[in-house]
Amino acid sequence: MPDISMVRPFPASAVPQWDFATDVAIIGFGATGACAAIEARTAGARVLLFERSSGSGGASALSGGEIYIGGGTDAQRAAGFDDTVEDFTAYLKLAGGPCVDEAKCELYGREALDHYQWLKDQGVPYRGNFLPGKHIEPTDDSTLIWSGSEAAAPFCHAARPAPRGHVIQHVGWGGGRPLVNILEARARDLGTEFHCDARAVALITDGARVCGAVVRIDNTNRFVRATKGVVLATGGFVFNDAMRRKYCPDSFRVNSPIGDKDDGIGIELGVSVGGDAIHMDQFFTTCPWTMPESHAYGVFVNRAGQRFINEDCYHGRVSRCAVDQDGGKVYLLLDMAHFVQPLDLAGITIAGTGNTWEEVEAELDMAPGTLSATMAVYNTHARAGRDPLFDKQVPILTPLDQAPFVALELNFATSYFSFFTLGGLRTSTDGEVLDRQGQPIAGLYAAGRCTSGLPAWGHGYSSGMSLADCTFFGRQAGKAAAA
Ligand SMILES: Cc1cc2nc3c(=O)[nH]c(=O)nc-3n(C[C@H](O)[C@H](O)[C@H](O)COP(=O)(O)OP(=O)(O)OC[C@H]3O[C@@H](n4cnc5c(N)ncnc54)[C@H](O)[C@@H]3O)c2cc1C
């Protein structure tokens, strides 16, 4: 019998016996796999779902359960925001930056309102109220927050700003677990057959077509025939150091990977049958520097005392741009009107203080006239409500001139810069895995963080974009596989 390997497909002709037969086999039971299962069952296909852990969840269950939805939801309208499909789509495209998949942005832009209704139809509760301010996740059970760079340049010039972070109604952080529970219950009610402690280790091919998978259960290889298709929903590769070293070396600048194993096997399986892995260097990162909220009014400088971003952007965009700076750290500058002791969990420390910005500059061992000149220019223009360098917008744009002053250190190695990968298999809007010529690989589908999707560019990420991508394109993959 040929070797079983994730980097080589196993030929159907060598399968000793088929242990399972189904129409659609789904690998991975996070939000993506659950949504794929719901749609494939709804379309009438037999569905087997294999999950390597002892239960559903993955990174999805660890998440905040926040989904990026726009175009004029009930919650947006009730809060007085007149979001449109055009503005929403324009934002999605800008957020994709150089990695954008325009077709996915356009499809999701058009269908996000229906997707929101679909989530509600599955039983996901939304209170429908808006919580103003800058929040990473709501601390009460509010269900709409600002979750991106919508009100900041350059985004606000291309698309009218509106909050689009729709969070499952749930008190406090961690709405991902209840979100997955609801989707799991729905997938089970519809008749999905679920095997846990079952790890896919290879794809099976019949000629050029993927026709099944080898799944290891109780340390035994089981051969799964999937007549209509296999859907990969296995998550990203943030915990696979070898893959990160090869494809995403910049992610080693930060230190706190988040997710649930995320070993990249789905990407390897897709590549083993000719799939194209794209934007593998992209990663999301954030340090919770906007907590407490008054810190959102601060100014960031690098080790040379120079600004590098309009700080009114989403905390993740600012953090990602920070990690591009040399020297392993950046400083958040605050005056007494805005300083509050940082959260312990953020690992943000006080690096310098002073009664003038010159004194802070000296404490940070910066050359005279660097940081202090930055703050003189910033304050002069902020008093006039302008930021000619980075186009930061009022009201976050405000002078920092109430002594004493402080420089907080965000250190890439010791502060909490959580991160996960964004690159993965190239797929069509129907979730077909594409080869390097852009042609679908027959019988193979994928969605979620084992693919490159809506959140394609780390510098443009907004909270909720990953789960928007997982839930919506998971559904697309399930439907297409069942067709
Ligand atoms: C703390 C935290 C908070 C977050 N908050 C948000 C948020 O609010 N909004 C948002 O959009 N994003 C958020 N994210 C990111 C988001 O949760 C993930 O990117 C997303 O859930 C990935 O979903 P997925 O279905 O692709 O993968 P997962 O949810 O990780 O599911 C993959 C599943 O596949 C299984 N699997 C893997 N390999 C195999 C195999 N070989 N055989 C069988 N099973 C396998 C895994 O065990 C896992 O259960 C957050 C992430 C974290 C960690």
Side-chain angles (χ1 to χ4, degrees):
M1 187 162 58
D3 280 352
I4 288 172
S5 164
M6 66 178 174
V7 297
R8 256 187 323 278
F10 191 87
S13 56
V15 169
Q17 78 288 325
W18 292 105
D19 299 298
F20 299 95
T22 186
D23 296 324
V24 177
I26 299 173
I27 314 297
F29 204 172
T32 308
C35 290
I38 292 169
E39 289 290 14
R41 278 302 296 149
T42 304
R46 292 173 300 160
V47 180
L48 289 185
L49 203 159
F50 297 95
E51 164 58 49
R52 78 173 158 202
S53 298
S54 301
S56 72
S60 305
L62 302 173
S63 78
E66 182 179 341
I67 302 184
Y68 201 78
I69 303 170
T73 66
D74 50 2
Q76 291 179 313
R77 280 186 275 109
F81 294 98
D82 200 12
D83 198 14
T84 64
V85 166
E86 291 70 30
D87 285 318
F88 175 45
T89 307
Y91 183 85
L92 290 174
K93 287 187 182 179
L94 207 55
C99 311
V100 68
D101 184 327
E102 302 232 346
K104 284 183 181 168
C105 295
E106 278 163 20
L107 182 67
Y108 186 62
R110 279 196 307 277
E111 300 210 356
L113 288 179
D114 285 348
H115 184 53
Y116 183 46
Q117 186 57 49
W118 182 87
L119 288 163
K120 290 180 182 177
D121 292 345
Q122 307 316 302
V124 181
Y126 290 100
R127 190 174 144 200
N129 72 308
F130 169 58
L131 182 67
K134 283 216 178 217
H135 304 281
I136 292 180
E137 287 180 32
T139 44
D140 59 10
D141 70 343
S142 297
T143 60
L144 176 64
I145 56 171
W146 291 102
S147 71
S149 302
E150 299 85 0
F155 303 91
C156 62
H157 302 309
R160 220 156 18 131
R164 303 192 180 103
H166 287 73
V167 191
I168 181 175
Q169 184 175 3
H170 170 79
V171 178
W173 287 35
R177 185 69 257 179
L179 175 69
V180 174
N181 288 348
I182 290 164
L183 296 172
E184 171 175 358
R186 183 81 178 126
R188 283 183 187 269
D189 286 351
L190 286 167
T192 302
E193 192 179 319
F194 171 40
H195 295 264
C196 61
D197 299 310
R199 185 162 57 96
V201 289
L203 292 173
I204 302 174
T205 48
D206 187 359
R209 184 180 178 83
V210 173
C211 65
V214 184
V215 178
R216 199 159 288 163
I217 301 174
D218 289 337
N219 224 15
T220 305
N221 292 322
R222 301 304 189 102
F223 295 87
V224 180
R225 173 172 228 148
T227 45
K228 293 195 168 189
V230 173
V231 179
L232 300 171
T234 49
F237 63 98
V238 73
F239 289 111
N240 185 326
D241 279 5
M243 278 181 84
R244 275 174 53 216
R245 215 167 278 121
K246 185 168 170 188
Y247 299 114
C248 192
D250 280 354
S251 67
F252 283 93
R253 294 167 80 103
V254 286
N255 225 3
S256 305
I258 55 168
D260 177 41
K261 303 191 193 78
D262 292 84
D263 63 2
I265 188 170
I267 300 172
E268 298 278 24
L269 292 174
V271 168
S272 78
V273 293
D276 191 11
I278 58 171
H279 307 312
M280 293 289 282
D281 57 338
Q282 292 301 316
F283 66 99
F284 157 84
T285 189
T286 198
C287 182
W289 63 272
T290 53
M291 294 174 70
E293 213 181 324
S294 62
H295 288 193
Y297 292 82
V299 163
F300 272 99
V301 291
N302 58 22
R303 290 196 76 184
Q306 305 302 302
R307 288 177 72 208
F308 50 85
I309 181 87
N310 46 327
E311 299 86 352
D312 53 343
C313 288
Y314 169 60
H315 54 84
R317 176 170 162 81
V318 175
S319 299
R320 182 65 192 82
C321 291
V323 170
D324 288 336
Q325 306 302 307
D326 288 335
K329 59 177 82 159
V330 293
Y331 299 105
L332 175 61
L333 308 179
L334 294 160
D335 67 356
M336 263 313 107
H338 297 95
F339 171 76
V340 179
Q341 188 65 30
L343 291 186
D344 279 351
L345 84 89
I348 295 173
T349 53
I350 296 176
T353 55
N355 283 315
T356 61
W357 285 117
E358 284 76 6
E359 285 178 21
V360 176
E361 174 181 83
E363 277 209 11
L364 298 179
D365 282 334
M366 287 182 186
T370 50
L371 180 148
S372 56
T374 296
M375 289 314 294
V377 170
Y378 179 83
N379 280 336
T380 300
H381 291 291
R383 281 185 203 104
R386 291 186 300 122
D387 175 16
L389 292 183
F390 291 99
D391 203 11
K392 187 169 172 174
Q393 308 287 308
V394 174
I396 298 277
L397 175 68
T398 187
L400 299 178
D401 53 10
Q402 312 284 308
F405 304 110
V406 61
L408 299 180
E409 178 175 318
L410 278 72
N411 185 300
F412 309 157
T414 54
S415 303
Y416 183 58
F417 276 87
S418 60
F419 70 102
F420 59 85
T421 57
L422 298 175
L425 296 168
R426 181 176 168 205
T427 52
S428 70
T429 52
D430 287 329
E432 301 155 303
V433 175
L434 304 178
D435 67 16
R436 290 174 74 179
Q437 281 74 46
Q439 297 304 309
I441 294 168
L444 188 63
Y445 303 82
R449 287 294 55 76
C450 63
T451 68
S452 172
L454 291 175
W457 185 45
H459 296 75
Y461 190 87
S462 301
S463 275
M465 277 194 175
S466 185
L467 284 175
D469 185 67
C470 293
T471 54
F472 181 76
F473 289 100
R475 291 178 59 202
Q476 292 290 100
K479 277 189 254 185

